[in-house]
Amino acid sequence: MRDIYRMLAVVAALAVAGTGVLAIAQSGRADEAAARPVAAPPAVPASSTPSPSPTLTPSPTPSSALTATPAPTPAAIPSPGASIAPGYTAMEALAADRRVPKLPGRVKLRALPGKPIKTRGVIRDAKTGVSVPRLRGPWKRYGAAPFTSRQVLPPAGRSPRGMLVSCPVPIEAQKSLRDTAQLAARWTLNHHPKGAVIRWLGAQPVKKGWSLVYQVRYGKRSSVAAVVVLDAGRAKPALVFVTIPDTHKKRWADIRRVTSGVRVLG
């Protein structure tokens, strides 16, 4: 009996030892599994729709946060006959214009061909604030636009038509009426044939302004012209401009009648 009990005790001891070895082996496997990296989840089946991943908005950098400033628009290039070129003042443009020589201080006007025409009253130009002599025939009044008053001579062939007009100065007025008169004379070249150049014949101050008389040459032909610029108390000085081509040479003396007869309205 004793031998049987001893055998049962050995079997029980072996059973307990086996259980402990198994537990240690399983514990080692568990620790090994925990030490391995976790595998990525399996790929999403093609039939499934993945949830959209969040879009990251980058923080604006200093350069991207600023609003772009549009490039400046280039200054418009003046059309032919404009008074001022880009980047120049009116007087600088005048000094650079070879068509207009430098104006002396004063130039005494000599006698002009012909006999001054008689007048028949005046034309009152309320817009400019001046009165202009109304000349007898062959001069006659004509539609004013784009001026504020206009008188013309009958055309003679292809030569420019003689005319006498008034309007506010169509150029940039200067502090000096003398300078304004020079710019106005330059502007009048727009009303003469291409290639016209100026030669000064007379320059003198008048009451509340300046009077300039000049010859305009274009090829073999010429005109005599004058501008009178007056401060008549308006927003811009008044301009009276007269030009007579050499086809009406006997009427050149009318220019003196005009320059001496322009007045500021009372």
Side-chain angles (χ1 to χ4, degrees):
M1 288 296 291
R2 288 182 181 178
D3 292 337
I4 294 173
Y5 286 131
R6 284 177 182 172
M7 289 181 63
L8 292 173
V10 171
V11 172
L14 290 175
V16 171
T19 303
V21 172
L22 180 60
I24 292 172
Q26 289 178 346
S27 175
R29 289 175 184 174
D31 292 342
E32 183 180 357
R36 292 177 182 173
V38 178
V44 179
S47 59
S48 302
T49 303
S51 58
S53 57
T55 302
L56 298 179
T57 304
S59 300
T61 60
S63 59
S64 63
L66 297 177
T67 301
T69 302
T73 303
I77 299 175
S79 57
S83 298
I84 306 174
Y88 287 85
T89 65
M91 295 307 294
E92 286 172 340
L94 173 66
D97 194 336
R98 296 182 179 180
R99 302 173 303 168
V100 186
K102 184 177 180 181
L103 180 66
R106 293 191 185 188
V107 181
K108 186 176 181 180
L109 179 63
R110 298 180 180 180
L112 294 171
K115 183 179 179 180
I117 199 166
K118 294 182 178 181
T119 61
R120 47 190 301 186
V122 297
I123 296 174
R124 296 173 62 86
D125 185 349
K127 187 170 183 178
T128 60
V130 299
S131 63
V132 182
R134 183 173 181 180
L135 307 179
R136 291 182 178 271
W139 291 91
K140 66 178 182 178
R141 295 190 69 171
Y142 195 76
F147 308 101
T148 48
S149 76
R150 176 159 51 176
Q151 301 173 67
V152 298
L153 283 169
R158 296 183 179 180
S159 67
R161 192 171 191 175
M163 66 177 182
L164 165 59
V165 301
S166 62
C167 62
V169 291
I171 43 83
E172 181 182 351
Q174 305 297 299
K175 292 182 180 179
S176 164
L177 288 175
R178 181 177 180 272
D179 289 345
T180 303
Q182 291 182 75
L183 293 177
R186 179 182 183 235
W187 170 83
T188 66
L189 291 178
N190 297 333
H191 295 277
H192 291 95
K194 185 178 180 180
V197 296
I198 283 177
R199 182 171 73 90
W200 299 115
L201 300 178
Q204 61 184 15
V206 295
K207 188 176 181 180
K208 296 189 176 183
W210 269 82
S211 170
L212 305 179
V213 182
Y214 47 98
Q215 184 180 39
V216 184
R217 292 185 175 276
Y218 36 89
K220 296 180 180 180
R221 310 307 298 263
S222 68
S223 295
V224 172
V227 293
V228 181
V229 173
L230 301 176
D231 181 1
R234 301 298 194 268
K236 298 190 75 174
L239 169 65
V240 175
F241 163 50
V242 56
T243 180
I244 302 174
D246 55 9
T247 48
H248 285 284
K249 195 171 184 177
K250 292 182 179 181
R251 299 263 57 89
W252 280 358
D254 296 351
I255 290 176
R256 186 183 289 275
R257 179 74 75 192
V258 171
T259 57
S260 63
V262 178
R263 297 284 188 275
V264 174
L265 292 175

